[in-house]
Amino acid sequence: MNSVDRPAVAALAEPCANCPFRPAGSAIPLADGRLRAIAQQLIADDTRPFLCHKAAYHPKAVPGRIAECRGAQIWLRKMGFPNVPMRLAFSLGLLNPVELDGQADQVIGVEILDEGLPKE
């Protein structure tokens, strides 16, 4: 199987410019607490991918050719919680964990899980 024949595991090779998993200031604006809820859901249910908003809503999107958000993949790997689709892709050689590790500085960190919580 060559790279042309491979199914898309991530929609993009790196997080898009306004990926919700990018640090504040460059991420798409979301309602207060929304990104925290998404992050918690990703950790709580490792069977569901977080789909790329660019691939899903892009005018040139091909129906049925949506893929997981690269920012979410990098964040999940950074947090130590790769989901089932990612682990399957790792084992099939469709996704490179070392490549994700090399992009860890492009996404937020664990602080998102504490966002909005009362300080002790």
Side-chain angles (χ1 to χ4, degrees):
M1 179 184 289
N2 66 39
S3 61
V4 175
D5 297 329
R6 287 182 153 177
V9 176
L12 304 169
E14 62 181 52
C16 64
N18 65 345
C19 176
F21 287 90
R22 288 252 190 211
S26 58
I28 190 170
L30 298 175
D32 287 346
R34 178 67 181 128
L35 184 56
R36 180 173 176 257
I38 292 168
Q40 288 175 327
Q41 181 182 19
L42 287 172
I43 290 173
D45 181 1
D46 71 349
T47 63
R48 282 191 187 182
F50 183 73
L51 300 180
C52 175
H53 70 282
K54 290 272 187 187
Y57 301 110
H58 193 279
K60 294 182 181 178
V62 177
R65 293 268 340 235
I66 56 176
E68 192 163 15
C69 168
R70 182 62 165 211
Q73 288 179 331
I74 296 166
W75 184 80
L76 284 165
R77 172 77 178 167
K78 183 176 182 176
M79 296 299 102
F81 293 104
N83 61 25
V84 171
M86 290 171 63
R87 294 192 309 265
L88 181 59
F90 292 156
S91 68
L92 294 173
L94 300 174
L95 188 61
N96 185 341
V98 175
E99 192 175 293
L100 295 177
D101 294 343
Q103 296 175 320
D105 63 337
Q106 296 183 36
V107 298
I108 56 174
V110 70
E111 70 278 356
I112 193 60
L113 296 174
D114 297 330
E115 183 183 279
L117 294 179
K119 303 292 181 207
E120 293 181 29

